[in-house]
Amino acid sequence: MRSGLEQLTEQGFASSGIEPILKKVGVPKGSFYHYFASKEAFGQAVLQNYADYFLTKLTTHLYDDAHPPLTRIRHFVADAKAGMTRHDFKRGCLVGNLGQEVGVLPESFRPQLIAIFASWQNCLAKCLEDAVAQGQITADANCQLLAENFWVGWEGAVSRAKLVESGTPLDNFCDLFMAALPKEM
């Protein structure tokens, strides 16, 4: 799974073969097909594993009541930036990468990707609802729409960070998102 994640985040699904993954971990092809019926099934398992891991990371940051809600978002961004830096900006977000490949992926990936983004959006929306409850943003803020827009922009920032090999796009996006949140005058 880890080798598959590395391969898919760095090369994408369409241009990734199973053989380099298996060679890297020393697993025979027959053993692979004992566990996975196809490359598609393997890709979906890697995707779900990543989504579960990332949702845990999100909830760790965004539901951390020891910090104000908007600070939690900044903590998430700092952690994601540190992760990208640790991998020399070769890896981004598997979900975002596959979302960009959706036109060449098996159709079975589409509902899985949509569900993953929805779970991330709901997690962020809850954090933003906490920000409303604490008076950090206005009571009439549409937290679901704000969360959706965060993920749309975030995936672009991650893609740009990979391109320029710098965390600056992540910081810039976060700063802009925070500045645009509806606040009391």
Side-chain angles (χ1 to χ4, degrees), residues 31-50:
S31 296
F32 171 84
Y33 286 109
H34 175 74
Y35 291 100
F36 301 102
S38 63
K39 176 184 171 185
E40 178 180 349
F42 176 68
Q44 289 177 315
V46 170
L47 176 59
Q48 193 58 55
N49 185 278
Y50 176 83

Side-chain angles (χ1 to χ4, degrees), residues 32-149:
F32 171 84
Y33 286 109
H34 175 74
Y35 291 100
F36 301 102
S38 63
K39 176 184 171 185
E40 178 180 349
F42 176 68
Q44 289 177 315
V46 170
L47 176 59
Q48 193 58 55
N49 185 278
Y50 176 83
D52 294 344
Y53 160 79
F54 198 80
L55 185 59
T56 298
K57 181 182 283 258
L58 278 176
T59 58
T60 296
H61 289 291
L62 300 180
Y63 295 174
D64 181 2
D65 290 334
H67 302 283
L70 299 185
T71 301
R72 299 176 209 166
I73 296 170
R74 288 199 181 276
H75 287 172
F76 159 71
V77 170
D79 182 64
K81 181 177 154 184
M84 289 190 75
T85 302
R86 187 172 46 255
H87 294 288
D88 298 320
F89 297 94
K90 287 183 174 47
R91 299 183 196 167
C93 173
L94 178 61
V95 176
N97 291 355
L98 294 178
Q100 291 176 11
E101 282 190 83
V102 75
V104 296
L105 292 175
E107 187 58 32
S108 62
F109 279 85
R110 185 181 303 271
Q112 186 178 11
L113 289 164
I114 290 169
I116 291 165
F117 274 127
S119 71
W120 295 357
Q121 180 177 321
N122 290 335
C123 184
L124 181 58
K126 183 199 175 301
C127 181
L128 292 169
E129 289 163 7
D130 289 350
V132 168
Q134 293 183 22
Q136 288 189 293
I137 59 177
T138 60
D140 63 347
N142 184 335
C143 294
Q144 279 292 332
L145 182 59
L146 289 168
E148 178 182 5
N149 283 311

